């Protein structure tokens, strides 16, 4: 049973990386660059994506453990491998997945300096810290941890599935500065969160007490908020088609809603050197429908069962020790369900980069930047991160971006983050007339052995991009 509990923890979290996309950031001829920085410098005049195929993104990662650590045949049994993994993981290790599919994408030049873009995409984001203390207690028990508290604030996870509708405007202030903003409306499909939990369980020696050990739960307060879950769970006879229709209806503001903004800029310091930065999803979700919240709270101390052996008359029952203990637990450690609204902040993402160009191109380009020279080789560094319940995750990426001609470019990158210190990535973008296709693969080394990889990321898309009206 203990094995099942721990495996459930591992694979729930793993089946559910960062949301930033460094391989597409600053790629000035891809509309997806505007989703990461609405103030990006671009060189196209209109675009529209192939519905559902203009951007497909998937990334997954785990710090501290891989599938190989659990299932490798190294002569030990699986219990020993799980125990070793648990002991190596800490409460700051995490598991993460992010998936994004662009439903609609379009945009066009407005006047001599502006560019309007809009669209919709579906996103799923699940993030969980490893519950180190509860996992150790569940798998190993407390015999080897006398006097050491097992803290329940290790339990911290968030998850959401939503549809995002957005509209943005990119504006060239002058020959050096471009700024932009994007407004987002969120339509929530599903949400779960459990953060800021409290409490601890501790076993202490009490040789002078009633029993040799005393067990105590102190200040327990665990809250799990959900929206969009209770109605699906309660519909036992719902068919797959009905469930799909219900989820689809929630994508169009039939459920919980929210608002957010993206802001960014690009500044050309010199003809060759530029800096830019952006924030994404500075927003909040308002969960008001289909709410079910569970709270577990209280404090309790016990020295264990204290059996008595009184003389009993014929037919008289013994003292129901377990029933008494359960009643005491129910009185002191309570669970409560509520249905009140709650709000959640979207995971704020941020990017900042510097870029230097060499090898001036003679090809026409940069229609929105007054046909400034374009450079065939671009060297840059990107710092990115995502806000999470216990602090931001981070990543640093350096890249060489090579424009072979006006129809093909590639980018090779090396990065490091909390998943890996050897993160090599490749992006390629090709345009045939006005049809564009791109693919980006990050952490290539991990793809050679996925069982031993801490992270993997894939992005691809098909769209039409026009550079003249």
């Amino acid at each position: 049973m203990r094995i099942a509990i721990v495996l459930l923890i591992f694979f729930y979290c793993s089946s559910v990386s960062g949301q930033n996309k460094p391989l597409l950031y600053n790629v000035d001829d891809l509309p997806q660059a505007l989703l990461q920085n609405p103030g990006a410098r671009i060189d196209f005049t209109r675009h529209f994506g192939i519905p559902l195929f203009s951007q497909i993104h998937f990334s997954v990662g785990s710090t501290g453990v891989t599938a190989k650590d659990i299932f490798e045949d190294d002569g030990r049994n699986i219990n020993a491998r799980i125990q070793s993994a648990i002991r190596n993981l800490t409460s700051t290790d995490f598991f993460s997945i992010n998936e994004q599919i662009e439903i609609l994408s379009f945009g066009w030049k407005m006047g001599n300096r502006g560019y309007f873009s809009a669209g919709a995409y579906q996103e799923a984001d699940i993030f969980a810290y490893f519950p180190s203390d509860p996992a150790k207690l569940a798998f190993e028990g407390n015999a080897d941890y006398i006097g050491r508290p097992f803290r329940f604030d290790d339990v911290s996870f968030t998850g959401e599935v939503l549809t995002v509708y957005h509209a943005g405007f990119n504006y060239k202030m002058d020959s050096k500065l471009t700024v932009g903003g994007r407004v987002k409306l969120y339509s929530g499909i599903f949400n779960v969160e459990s953060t800021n939990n409290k409490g601890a369980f501790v076993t202490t020696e009490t040789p002078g007490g009633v029993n040799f050990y005393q067990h105590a739960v102190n200040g327990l307060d665990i809250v799990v908020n959900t929206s969009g879950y209770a109605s699906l769970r309660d519909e036992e006879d719902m068919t797959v088609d009905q469930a799909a229709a219900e989820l689809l209806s929630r994508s169009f503001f039939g459920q919980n809603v929210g608002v957010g903004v993206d802001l960014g800029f690009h500044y050309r310091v010199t003809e060759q050197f530029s800096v830019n930065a952006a924030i994404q999803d500075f927003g909040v979700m308002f969960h008001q429908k289909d709410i079910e919240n569970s709270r577990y709270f209280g404090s309790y101390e016990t020295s264990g069962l204290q059996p008595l052996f009184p003389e009993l008359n014929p037919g008289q029952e013994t003292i129901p020790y377990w029933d008494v203990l359960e009643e005491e637990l129910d009185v002191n450690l309570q669970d409560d369900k509520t249905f009140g609204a709650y709000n959640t902040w979207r995971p704020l993402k941020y990017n900042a980069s510097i870029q230097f160009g060499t090898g001036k191109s003679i090809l026409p380009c940069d229609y929105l930047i007054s046909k400034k020279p374009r450079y065939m080789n671009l060297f840059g560094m990107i710092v990115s991160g995502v806000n999470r319940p216990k602090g931001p995750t981070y990543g640093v990426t350096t890249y060489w971006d090579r424009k072979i001609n006006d129809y093909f470019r590639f980018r090779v990158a090396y990065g490091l983050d909390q998943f890996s210190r050897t993160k090599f990535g490749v992006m390629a973008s090709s345009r045939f007339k006005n049809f564009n296709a791109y693919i980006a693969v990050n952490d290539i080394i991990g793809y050679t052995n996925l069982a031993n990889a801490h992270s993997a990321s894939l992005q691809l898309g098909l769209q039409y991009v026009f550079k003249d009206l």
Side-chain angles (χ1 to χ4, degrees):
M1 181 62 182
R2 290 183 299 178
I3 294 177
I5 292 172
V6 177
L7 286 178
L8 181 62
I9 292 171
F10 275 117
F11 293 107
Y12 169 74
C13 297
S14 296
S15 67
V16 285
S17 133
Q19 299 178 22
N20 289 315
K21 308 176 181 69
L23 292 177
L24 299 187
Y25 192 78
N26 271 352
V27 181
D28 55 7
D29 53 10
L30 287 182
Q32 283 68 33
L34 289 173
L35 287 177
Q36 296 187 79
N37 181 359
R41 177 173 173 263
I42 58 175
D43 76 340
F44 48 88
T45 56
R46 54 193 170 108
H47 78 275
F48 64 89
I50 306 298
L52 302 177
F53 289 97
S54 56
Q55 178 175 239
I56 299 173
H57 164 77
F58 180 79
S59 59
V60 62
S62 69
T63 64
V65 69
T66 66
K68 182 180 178 182
D69 296 328
I70 305 300
F71 296 106
E72 183 181 25
D73 187 6
D74 58 0
R76 298 179 298 167
N77 63 42
I78 191 170
N79 286 1
R81 293 195 294 270
I82 291 174
Q83 186 171 359
S84 176
I86 289 175
R87 288 179 173 176
N88 290 332
L89 289 168
T90 70
S91 60
T92 57
D93 283 306
F94 55 84
F95 308 83
S96 166
I97 192 171
N98 182 255
E99 166 271 326
Q100 194 175 99
I101 296 177
E102 203 165 58
I103 302 170
L104 293 173
S105 174
F106 56 90
W108 59 86
K109 182 180 178 181
M110 298 185 70
N112 293 324
R113 298 186 178 187
Y115 192 87
F116 172 81
S117 60
Y121 61 88
Q122 177 271 321
E123 182 175 0
D125 180 66
I126 300 180
F127 186 93
Y129 290 98
F130 180 70
S132 178
D133 277 5
K136 288 178 181 176
L137 181 61
F139 190 77
E140 300 183 29
N142 60 347
D144 294 332
Y145 300 96
I146 303 302
R148 177 199 183 282
F150 292 90
R151 304 183 63 85
F152 292 105
D153 56 7
D154 284 358
V155 178
S156 181
F157 58 87
T158 62
E160 62 181 348
V161 181
L162 71 167
T163 302
V164 182
Y165 300 89
H166 60 89
F169 193 69
N170 177 281
Y171 188 75
K172 180 173 70 81
M173 302 291 293
D174 53 38
S175 61
K176 290 190 173 184
L177 178 63
T178 302
V179 298
R182 184 172 304 280
V183 177
K184 293 182 172 180
L185 299 178
Y186 306 121
S187 179
I189 297 173
F190 168 81
N191 178 268
V192 59
E193 70 146 17
S194 182
T195 58
N196 300 317
N197 295 308
K198 302 175 183 178
F201 172 82
V202 62
T203 298
T204 55
E205 294 183 352
T206 55
V210 177
N211 283 333
F212 195 79
Y213 297 108
Q214 183 183 66
H215 313 281
V217 177
N218 299 317
L220 177 68
D221 194 358
I222 296 177
V223 178
V224 180
N225 297 320
T226 69
S227 69
Y229 164 71
S231 61
L232 294 178
R233 181 205 58 204
D234 294 339
E235 292 290 342
E236 297 180 359
D237 298 328
M238 181 178 287
T239 65
V240 173
D241 290 342
Q242 290 171 332
E246 172 63 22
L247 294 176
L248 184 62
S249 69
R250 297 179 183 183
S251 300
F252 298 96
F253 303 104
Q255 195 76 357
N256 300 293
V257 299
V259 294
V261 296
D262 300 347
L263 299 170
F265 75 92
H266 181 104
Y267 185 72
R268 178 175 278 184
V269 181
T270 68
E271 190 176 273
Q272 292 176 268
F273 180 69
S274 63
V275 298
N276 61 74
I279 60 171
Q280 298 167 257
D281 286 314
F282 180 63
V284 62
M285 284 290 302
F286 305 102
H287 304 278
Q288 298 178 327
K289 298 179 181 179
D290 200 8
I291 307 298
E292 183 176 275
N293 309 317
S294 300
R295 184 187 179 204
Y296 308 89
F297 62 98
S299 297
Y300 181 62
E301 292 184 359
T302 180
S303 296
L305 297 177
Q306 303 169 32
L308 302 174
F309 303 97
E311 292 187 8
L312 301 175
N313 296 322
Q316 185 177 358
E317 295 183 356
T318 59
I319 299 173
Y321 297 105
W322 285 110
D323 292 341
V324 172
L325 179 62
E326 287 181 2
E327 289 177 3
E328 291 181 357
L329 288 171
D330 290 340
V331 170
N332 293 280
L333 299 179
Q334 303 179 47
D335 62 274
D336 188 24
K337 286 195 181 298
T338 61
F339 306 94
Y342 67 96
N343 302 329
T344 58
W345 289 99
R346 299 260 16 243
L348 178 68
K349 297 172 279 293
Y350 49 89
N351 293 278
S353 81
I354 57 175
Q355 182 171 271
F356 185 81
T358 64
K360 186 180 293 187
S361 169
I362 61 174
L363 297 172
C365 61
D366 295 340
Y367 294 91
L368 296 182
I369 315 295
S370 301
K371 297 189 178 180
K372 291 291 183 182
R374 188 183 74 181
Y375 292 89
M376 303 300 285
N377 298 292
L378 302 172
F379 300 91
M381 181 176 71
I382 306 167
V383 178
S384 58
V386 183
N387 273 6
R388 295 302 187 180
K390 293 185 181 181
T393 63
Y394 65 86
V396 178
T397 302
T398 59
Y399 63 85
W400 168 43
D401 192 313
R402 171 67 177 176
K403 296 187 177 183
I404 304 298
N405 51 41
D406 207 31
Y407 300 98
F408 182 76
R409 75 187 294 169
F410 69 86
R411 173 178 290 189
V412 293
Y414 167 77
L416 58 88
D417 56 21
Q418 288 159 286
F419 298 117
S420 173
R421 298 295 184 268
T422 56
K423 209 177 197 68
F424 293 94
V426 175
M427 183 280 299
S429 174
S430 178
R431 187 166 63 93
F432 177 72
K433 294 187 177 179
N434 294 315
F435 181 75
N436 171 264
Y438 68 90
I439 184 169
V441 181
N442 213 350
D443 203 3
I444 292 176
I445 293 177
Y447 277 87
T448 62
N449 185 356
L450 288 175
N452 198 35
H454 284 278
S455 66
S457 175
L458 174 67
Q459 299 150 247
L460 53 91
L462 305 171
Q463 58 205 323
Y464 285 90
V465 179
F466 300 85
K467 296 195 174 185
D468 59 280
L469 291 173

